[in-house]
Amino acid sequence: MAQQNLRIAVLLPCYNEEAAIAQTVAGFRAALPDAEIFVYDNNSADRTREVAAAAGAIVRSEKMQGKGHVVRRMFADVEADIYVMADGDATYDASAAPGLVAKLIDEQLDMVVGARKSEVEEAYRRGHVLGNKVFTGLLSSLFGRSFSDIFSGYRIFSRRFAKSFPALSRGFETETEISVHALELAMPVGEVVTAYGARPEGSQSKLSTYRDGWRILKTILHLYRIERPVLFYGSFALLLGVLALILAVPLAITYFNTGLVPRVPTAILVTGLMILAFLSFFCGLILDTVVRGRREVRRLHYLSFPAVGAEPDRQSRIQLR
């Protein structure tokens, strides 16, 4: 299906971006002239809404504070075949959007990530580059694979991704949730390196390095607990079991030598630790069965939407199932 026959929506979540939103809208208008551009204002205290409307964007509001709430609202409200999501701070290269959209269509992907590469030192705040590498490596080690830039806000989605994404996060950790959603459902995804620039003068970042980093870490561990219960609870079972064995060895040696168990409290502790270890392990096994069933339902819901560029008869067959 030709790109011009597909409905493309540009989604720009904003919070106090009066200084940059007009430039952002103009950039995507020039790059994707046939796309609808939506600016979702998240309780801005400046003139973001007025400036965005004057620039020709469709302006809507989300009162619940946090980017995760905005992403949930955008995916629920906007109807399109392809969704282009970027921040409203004019840091992402809007001219790269047609290439990202073309890659999504040509390779029948569900998400394309615009991995950031900047030649401007001011584009990244101190600690963000290191934090990105650390969390990217952590995500890869926990889930088996990852992206080179899991925190990029520049992403292209198919309709079936947008409509199957639960969007449970509240803040900037939503990018992590998006990445894990794609990895867990084994979606076809791609990544393209794109330019990343400094914010325009008068525009300030809303990120807090340590606070948001802690929230992202909690999100990764929370998703790992949910999606990998055997490994998560199994690690606790292994830790408790090893600790119980370490405490039990001296007791066993004493018993074999004397036939006595002089340290009864330690023996009780060992017994309790082993019971907890087995309970933790079997808890992981039970939850793994629940997760597999839940993942199957999510996968079937995801497949109920047609792929980007699917033929009309193919779409109708999918919808009738």
Side-chain angles (χ1 to χ4, degrees):
M1 183 180 291
Q3 180 173 330
Q4 58 266 27
N5 294 331
L6 296 172
R7 295 172 298 168
I8 301 177
V10 177
L11 308 178
L12 303 173
C14 288
Y15 175 62
N16 290 341
E17 295 294 355
E18 176 186 352
I21 189 59
Q23 180 181 339
T24 306
V25 172
F28 280 103
R29 176 67 66 206
L32 300 169
D34 296 325
E36 288 186 303
I37 300 179
F38 295 85
V39 170
Y40 271 75
D41 179 67
N42 195 204
N43 302 316
S44 294
D46 60 8
R47 298 180 60 254
T48 296
R49 291 175 54 86
E50 293 81 356
V51 174
I58 301 171
V59 180
R60 295 178 178 174
S61 298
E62 171 53 51
K63 297 301 182 183
M64 296 180 68
Q65 195 67 43
K67 186 175 181 179
H69 293 303
V70 180
V71 170
R72 183 186 310 117
R73 181 71 178 272
M74 292 190 302
F75 284 172
D77 289 356
V78 178
E79 298 295 332
D81 298 304
I82 297 174
Y83 299 81
V84 179
M85 188 175 75
D87 294 337
D89 55 12
T91 55
Y92 293 108
D93 182 15
S95 64
L100 299 177
V101 171
K103 182 178 180 66
L104 186 89
I105 297 172
D106 295 341
E107 300 182 21
Q108 293 284 284
L109 304 177
D110 285 307
M111 180 175 69
V112 177
V113 179
R116 297 168 292 179
K117 181 179 180 181
S118 177
E119 303 296 334
V120 182
E121 185 176 352
E122 293 79 7
Y124 283 105
R125 293 170 60 187
R126 181 179 300 178
H128 285 193
V129 175
L130 176 61
N132 198 347
K133 290 181 180 178
V134 169
F135 284 123
T136 297
L138 178 61
L139 195 71
S140 179
S141 63
L142 294 180
F143 292 94
R145 58 194 181 107
S146 183
F147 304 92
S148 65
D149 186 4
I150 63 170
F151 297 140
S152 174
Y154 198 6
R155 299 173 186 248
I156 317 299
F157 303 101
S158 67
R159 175 179 172 82
R160 65 181 181 179
F161 185 105
K163 296 304 181 181
S164 67
F165 178 56
L168 301 178
S169 298
R170 295 178 294 175
F172 286 102
E173 63 272 21
T174 187
E175 278 94 2
T176 304
E177 186 186 12
I178 288 172
S179 298
V180 171
H181 179 67
L183 296 176
E184 282 303 286
L185 293 189
M187 294 182 182
V189 297
E191 196 171 30
V192 176
V193 176
T194 58
Y196 185 69
R199 284 171 167 268
E201 185 177 353
S203 177
Q204 296 181 347
S205 175
K206 316 306 183 301
L207 288 172
S208 173
T209 302
Y210 299 105
R211 183 192 63 201
D212 290 318
W214 171 242
R215 289 172 61 180
I216 290 166
L217 177 61
K218 289 195 298 182
T219 298
I220 292 176
L221 295 178
H222 175 69
L223 292 172
Y224 183 66
R225 177 180 65 83
I226 292 175
E227 301 294 345
R228 297 284 194 275
V230 171
L231 295 177
F232 182 84
Y233 290 100
S235 62
F236 285 104
L238 179 62
L239 178 63
L240 292 170
V242 169
L243 180 59
L245 289 175
I246 292 174
L247 294 174
V249 168
L251 295 178
I253 294 174
T254 302
Y255 177 77
F256 286 123
N257 290 335
T258 66
L260 301 174
V261 183
R263 288 176 288 176
V264 175
T266 303
I268 295 174
L269 176 62
V270 168
T271 303
L273 289 174
M274 288 303 296
I275 291 174
L276 289 176
F278 278 101
L279 286 175
S280 182
F281 178 71
F282 284 107
C283 180
L285 287 180
I286 295 170
L287 289 175
D288 184 64
T289 303
V290 176
V291 169
R292 286 180 64 86
R294 202 169 122 269
R295 190 178 296 135
E296 289 174 0
V297 172
R298 288 162 55 197
R299 178 75 182 176
L300 290 173
H301 177 66
Y302 153 77
L303 292 175
S304 68
F305 296 95
V308 173
E311 296 81 3
D313 59 333
R314 164 74 172 160
Q315 294 187 23
S316 61
R317 288 200 300 271
I318 293 175
Q319 292 171 352
L320 286 173
R321 290 179 182 175

